């Protein structure tokens, strides 16, 4: 919030400036990285069998070795392949030992329904068998709501001899991946194509909407999909012993991935007080002023106010907003929505051991709020 210009400034986050700092390195190639003069480590990236770009980090020097797995999909074939990875052979054979290993244990349990996960191959076999039962002109939509379904795309495209339509956002992401020589072919040339002599060999993805297979974003389906009878395919995680389906969180509608929200930073008590002063100036109804300032006070517990894009009305272009308009927007939110429970939930997730200076600042803010509230009631 720029109180000097009396506007709420938008802040668009870009990462292009990191291009000079972030460097891509190939898989399975030990790479020396200098931390400081005379201090180096060796980093080797190993495929994690998870999604595009997912790798494990093997970090070692002359005396110590650390393996950081991140998210992995530890299928039997992959574990056997890892044991044969040249840089890991000394560890698999017992010649060297890992000093530490940071392991993904999300589903490391013997309890149902996570006890058994079908392999990717088993899942693909079931999918292709079910698709084969439909007529040859059936249109399918596979809900690839996140990364990690690249192998499914390749299998579907090969089995039905059809490219897969994706939205411009997905196409742009995978097209960008294909530009890096270090990216495995299943994430680059297999999806977006490659140049073979004088001819461009197409990949399995396309922006052409007339194809039989689609993975365009749910909620933003193409016109061809809306006008054709379509079989929607929603992936699952696994099945329990009883055969109950365990759905993937977010599958179907992306778990709110398309719901854009914007936050107003309220970690600075001075900014919160200035915002309340503006509320006193611009909100004419006394009860509305009290509700709005109470809303701002409670929002201090979470450190920010989350504003859904739909609440911004005509401000969807995300341009700078006059602070007067912001106060009226906050009034609308405070009057029409029950934010207390949401804010309470947010507050409960914050650390219980807060900095003493922060508590003193909030206490000082609370005293100032009391004076503001009293003034708004007396003069309202």
């Amino acid at each position: 919030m720029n109180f000097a210009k009396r506007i709420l400034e938008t802040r668009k986050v870009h990462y292009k400036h990191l291009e000079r700092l972030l460097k891509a390195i190939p898989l399975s190639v030990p790479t020396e990285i200098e931390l400081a003069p005379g201090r180096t480590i060796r980093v080797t990236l190993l495929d994690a069998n998870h999604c595009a770009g997912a790798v494990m980090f093997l970090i070692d020097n002359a005396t110590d070795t650390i393996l950081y797995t991140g998210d992995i999909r530890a299928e039997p074939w992959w574990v056997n392949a890892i044991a044969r990875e040249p840089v890991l052979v000394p560890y698999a054979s017992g010649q060297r030992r890992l000093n530490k290993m940071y392991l993904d244990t999300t589903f490391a349990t013997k309890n149902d329904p996570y006890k058994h996960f079908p392999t990717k191959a088993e899942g693909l076999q079931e999918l292709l068998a079910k698709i084969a039962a439909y007529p040859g002109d059936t249109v399918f939509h596979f809900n690839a709501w996140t990364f990690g379904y690249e192998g499914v795309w390749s299998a579907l495209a090969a089995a039905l001899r059809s490219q897969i339509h994706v939205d411009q956002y997905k196409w742009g992401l995978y097209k960008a991946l294909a530009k890096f020589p270090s990216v495995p072919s299943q994430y680059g040339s297999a999806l977006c194509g490659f140049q073979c002599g004088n001819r461009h060999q197409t990949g399995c993805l396309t922006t052409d909407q007339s194809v039989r297979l689609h993975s365009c974003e749910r909620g933003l389906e193409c016109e061809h999909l809306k006008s054709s009878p379509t079989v929607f395919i929603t992936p699952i995680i696994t099945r329990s012993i009883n055969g109950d389906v365990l759905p993937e969180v977010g599958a179907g509608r992306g778990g709110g991935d398309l719901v854009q929200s914007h936050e107003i930073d309220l970690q600075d008590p001075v900014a919160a007080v200035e915002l309340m002063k503006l509320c006193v100036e611009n909100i004419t109804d006394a009860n509305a002023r009290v509700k709005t300032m109470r809303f701002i006070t409670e929002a201090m517990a979470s450190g920010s106010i989350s504003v859904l894009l739909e609440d911004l009305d005509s401000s969807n272009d995300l341009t700078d907003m006059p602070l007067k308009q912001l106060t009226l927007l906050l009034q609308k939110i405070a009057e029409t929505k029950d934010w207390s429970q949401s804010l309470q939930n947010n507050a409960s997730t914050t650390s219980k051991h807060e900095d003493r200076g922060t508590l003193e600042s909030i206490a000082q803010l609370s005293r100032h709020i009391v004076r503001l509230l009293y003034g708004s009631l007396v003069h309202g």
Side-chain angles (χ1 to χ4, degrees):
M1 289 178 287
N2 189 325
F3 292 100
K5 296 182 179 180
R6 300 179 77 86
I7 60 172
L8 176 66
E9 297 178 330
T10 59
R11 182 173 58 186
K12 299 179 180 179
V13 181
H14 300 279
Y15 301 97
K16 188 174 179 60
H17 64 287
L18 297 178
E19 187 175 5
R20 297 181 180 179
L21 300 177
L22 301 178
K23 302 299 180 182
I25 60 177
L27 293 176
S28 304
V29 179
T31 304
E32 295 282 345
I33 297 178
E34 186 178 37
L35 303 178
R39 291 182 58 197
T40 62
I41 59 173
R42 188 171 65 172
V43 178
T44 308
L45 305 185
L46 304 167
D47 180 46
N49 189 37
H50 189 257
C51 66
V55 296
M56 300 190 299
F57 290 83
L58 182 70
I59 306 170
D60 69 304
N61 57 20
T63 58
D64 300 307
T65 305
I66 295 174
L67 178 65
Y68 183 91
T69 69
D71 286 347
I72 57 176
R73 187 179 179 94
E75 298 180 345
W77 72 266
W78 177 81
V79 174
N80 293 332
I82 283 294
R84 296 193 300 270
E85 184 73 37
V87 295
L88 291 180
V89 167
Y91 304 96
S93 62
Q95 297 177 19
R96 292 193 64 179
R97 293 188 63 182
L98 295 172
N99 296 90
K100 289 184 180 180
M101 180 167 64
Y102 299 89
L103 181 66
D104 169 25
T105 58
T106 305
F107 297 111
T109 176
K110 294 182 179 180
N111 299 326
D112 190 52
Y114 304 111
K115 185 175 181 179
H116 172 71
F117 279 88
T119 64
K120 288 183 179 180
E122 290 171 341
L124 288 174
Q125 289 170 10
E126 179 182 346
L127 173 61
L128 295 179
K130 290 183 176 180
I131 284 179
Y134 287 88
D137 58 349
T138 304
V139 176
F140 296 95
H141 180 278
F142 181 79
N143 186 26
W145 70 279
T146 186
F147 292 110
Y149 295 111
E150 296 81 14
V152 180
W153 283 338
S154 296
L156 286 173
L160 298 184
R161 305 186 68 84
S162 169
Q163 287 184 290
I164 301 174
H165 170 251
V166 293
D167 50 85
Q168 287 291 339
Y169 178 70
K170 285 194 183 81
W171 174 257
L173 287 177
Y174 286 100
K175 192 73 172 176
L177 280 179
K179 295 178 181 178
F180 292 94
S182 58
V183 173
S185 59
Q186 66 264 33
Y187 301 132
S189 55
L191 299 181
C192 298
F194 62 97
Q195 194 69 28
C196 183
N198 295 326
R199 182 173 179 269
H200 179 76
Q201 177 66 43
T202 59
C204 67
L205 300 184
T206 181
T207 55
D208 180 7
Q209 300 184 10
S210 63
V211 294
R212 286 183 60 196
L213 297 173
H214 293 258
S215 264
C216 38
E217 190 71 53
R218 290 295 301 272
L220 299 175
E221 293 96 338
C222 62
E223 293 301 321
H224 179 75
L225 195 64
K226 294 177 181 178
S227 60
S228 304
T230 305
V231 175
F232 289 90
I233 305 170
T234 301
I236 64 172
I237 295 180
T238 186
R239 291 186 178 89
S240 67
I241 296 176
N242 299 326
D244 296 329
V245 169
L246 184 66
E248 185 167 9
V249 177
R253 283 292 179 181
D257 287 354
L258 293 179
V259 179
Q260 300 184 46
S261 63
H262 307 273
E263 291 189 343
I264 302 168
D265 188 3
L266 282 181
Q267 296 184 11
D268 182 5
V270 175
V273 169
E274 291 298 321
L275 181 59
M276 289 185 176
K277 287 181 180 179
L278 289 174
C279 290
V280 173
E281 292 178 13
N282 299 316
I283 300 176
T284 57
D285 182 83
N287 290 331
R289 282 201 302 270
V290 172
K291 289 180 179 179
T292 305
M293 288 193 285
R294 180 181 177 184
F295 166 48
I296 296 173
T297 306
E298 293 179 354
M300 284 291 293
S302 63
S304 64
I305 296 177
S306 181
V307 182
L308 293 179
L309 188 63
E310 64 186 25
D311 291 323
L312 294 180
D313 296 332
S314 60
S315 300
N316 287 353
D317 55 357
L318 303 183
T319 57
D320 295 339
M321 176 189 295
L323 288 180
K324 180 178 180 179
Q325 183 180 346
L326 172 63
T327 59
L328 298 179
L329 172 62
L330 295 178
Q331 174 191 348
K332 174 185 174 182
I333 297 173
E335 287 188 306
T336 60
K337 295 188 177 181
D338 181 13
W339 290 87
S340 298
Q341 186 63 37
S342 174
L343 291 167
Q344 183 178 355
N345 291 339
N346 289 335
S348 65
T349 62
T350 60
S351 172
K352 296 181 180 179
H353 304 285
E354 302 218 33
D355 179 72
R356 185 175 184 84
T358 302
L359 291 174
E360 292 175 353
S361 298
I362 293 176
Q364 183 179 1
L365 171 65
S366 299
R367 291 192 292 270
H368 198 102
I369 290 169
V370 170
R371 292 194 292 271
L372 284 172
L373 287 171
Y374 177 77
S376 67
L377 290 172
V378 171
H379 303 292

